[in-house]
Amino acid sequence: MKSFNYTEETLPGVTDISRELLEKIMSRKAKVGIVGLGYVGLPLAAEFARQGFRVTGIDLETRKIDLINGGKSYIGDVPSEEIARLVEQGLLRASSDFNVLAELDTINICVPTPLRKTKDPDLSYILAAVEQIQKHLHRGMLVILESTTYPGTTEELILPRLAETGLEVGRDFFLCFSPERVDPGNSQFNTRNIPKVVGGVTPICTQMGTLFYQQAMEKVVPVSSTQVAEMVKLLENTFRSINIGLANEMALLCDCMKIDVWEVIEAAATKPFGFMPFFPGPGLGGHCIPVDPFYLSWKAKMNGVEARFIELAGQINGSMPHFTVNKIQAALNDRMKSVKNSHVHLLGMAYKKDIADVRESPALDVLALLRKLGARLSYSDPHVARVKLADFELESRPVLPSCREADCVVLLTDHSSFDYEAIVNQSSLIVDTRNAFRAWRMEKIVRL
Ligand SMILES: NC(=O)c1ccc[n+]([C@@H]2O[C@H](COP(=O)([O-])OP(=O)(O)OC[C@H]3O[C@@H](n4cnc5c(N)ncnc54)[C@H](O)[C@@H]3O)[C@@H](O)[C@H]2O)c1
């Protein structure tokens, strides 16, 4: 096996401890642990189990633990049959008891990294997980942070806590950062075929992380430090946030000039180089794009630099639910109706198509704004049975009778399963925020 050949010359700093772990990883005998079994952690756990590793998932939510151990999935991209097979074969188990950490060789941390109300990073979940890992850290353990965070987190926050144990990084234990790029609902790219970037605190940590991911992923991209790996993720998500912000600003400008922004973007996208299409919409959603750029702007502020693009894109993207509501208001006014007391039926609550995730979904903002204006509201979402706002709750209703009854139908999430033709036929007025009705040119369809 390749790892037996590691010498001080081929891998500076290699010791018996690192050699032993490398061998366990390459022979798939390493016991893998995933802390946080959500949209990121469960697919990752399933992928390593599929590759023959014995994987233990750890989460605070006992509901998730019971579902996994009962062979059931709660994440759309991971089929229940797959979980059932892996559990039955003894390759996957879940637990809420952190004492299991003591038996593990590798630990991936996949816990949430939200923002506080002040838009500052909330690292409490990472710190809580690290506190548990610290108690059970032992020689020959590889710890990898996957949660999105600002550059410096791994070395400034995690390393000192793990080093308090007296164990030395790069010799006794190994510490890396590897950004998670999974895209829920994407049928082409998944945990296995999305290239994995990894950076370690020391060269041997990077080597350990690289070999670990190579067992389960098609391509691994090692980088020189944890800070580079942390920054890669923030560049990717900031790039998206800013470009979506530009598309949204274009939509606002085109609206004033009565130009079809969708036609403009589609025509611009025919340029074979130097242009990449991004599209406007009712606003940004999900756990990543609306949140992650603020991790970077916070860190920039700490260094006395202002991240102006990020703040601006955040403002424009954040204004889109208001713009959408203005469009609805104007469309109803054109028909001599006002939002107050009109029945507005919303299509889609998830933040993007074909998934069930409503975190930060702009549809919830549109819902709340319309409620404030006194609209009578209903919604349909095949993936979201119920939504809860601060002071009210709604249940998803069947699409067609609702579209027929409504004064205005608003397409917020372009789920594939909606019957667009039937919706057009049954609705008297449609506000389309996703260009989902591009095939129909009719006065009753108002585009963003
Ligand atoms: N969802 C995505 O598409 C996506 C994509 C790339 C990166 N990320 C990043 O990955 C990280 C995780 O995101 P997610 O969407 O999987 O979140 P999630 O909320 O779906 O899952 C996180 C899980 O961690 C558990 N948890 C919280 N604190 C814990 C603790 N101390 N110990 C054990 N478990 C704990 C929660 O119960 C939950 O099950 C975030 O930093 C996010 O920004 C998410």
Side-chain angles (χ1 to χ4, degrees), residues 9-234:
E9 219 165 82
T10 56
L11 187 60
V14 73
T15 60
D16 286 348
I17 298 171
S18 38
R19 239 184 250 116
E20 196 185 319
L21 179 58
L22 286 164
E23 282 158 22
K24 276 191 197 169
I25 289 173
M26 293 175 77
S27 61
R28 304 195 175 190
K29 291 203 175 96
K31 291 194 189 114
V32 171
I34 310 287
V35 177
L37 294 170
Y39 286 91
V40 165
L42 186 60
L44 187 70
E47 194 53 56
F48 274 95
R50 245 177 245 134
Q51 299 310 320
F53 286 88
R54 283 185 192 280
V55 179
T56 306
I58 300 143
D59 204 288
L60 302 173
E61 275 188 49
T62 46
R63 180 189 70 93
K64 290 182 177 170
I65 303 302
D66 294 344
L67 282 169
I68 294 173
N69 289 334
K72 294 204 177 66
S73 175
Y74 44 83
I75 299 282
D77 293 337
V78 186
S80 283
E81 306 80 69
E82 186 73 358
I83 296 291
R85 183 180 66 79
L86 296 169
V87 170
E88 201 174 304
Q89 289 176 352
L91 293 169
L92 180 65
R93 64 172 178 155
S95 173
S96 51
D97 176 4
F98 284 87
N99 287 320
V100 297
L101 291 171
E103 310 157 14
L104 303 175
D105 299 302
T106 69
I107 299 173
N108 292 63
I109 306 171
C110 306
V111 297
T113 43
L115 290 172
R116 296 186 193 286
K117 281 208 172 79
T118 50
K119 293 224 184 285
D120 289 349
D122 175 1
L123 294 181
S124 57
Y125 297 88
I126 294 185
L127 291 176
V130 170
E131 194 182 311
Q132 294 294 338
I133 294 168
Q134 187 192 33
K135 284 187 203 155
H136 302 284
L137 189 73
H138 56 74
R139 283 202 170 73
M141 201 177 219
L142 169 63
V143 179
I144 306 177
L145 177 63
E146 294 218 8
S147 303
T148 306
T149 182
Y150 59 77
T153 307
T154 310
E155 288 206 9
E156 292 162 18
L157 247 74
I158 299 184
L159 180 57
R161 285 168 170 79
L162 298 186
E164 266 174 25
T165 57
L167 298 178
E168 191 182 317
V169 69
R171 189 194 65 190
D172 300 320
F173 73 96
F174 309 93
L175 179 60
C176 297
F177 181 84
S178 176
E180 178 53 61
R181 293 163 146 175
V182 74
D183 182 21
N186 190 325
S187 53
Q188 190 185 356
F189 294 108
N190 50 49
T191 305
R192 183 159 176 75
N193 66 8
I194 299 174
K196 196 85 175 103
V197 170
V198 60
V201 172
T202 69
I204 201 156
C205 293
T206 308
Q207 182 72 5
M208 198 67 80
T210 303
L211 273 167
F212 173 68
Y213 285 121
Q214 277 172 345
Q215 311 310 310
M217 276 126 206
E218 287 173 9
K219 185 171 178 184
V220 182
V221 183
V223 294
S224 63
S225 65
T226 53
Q227 290 87 342
V228 168
E230 288 159 338
M231 195 62 141
V232 166
K233 176 71 186 173
L234 294 184

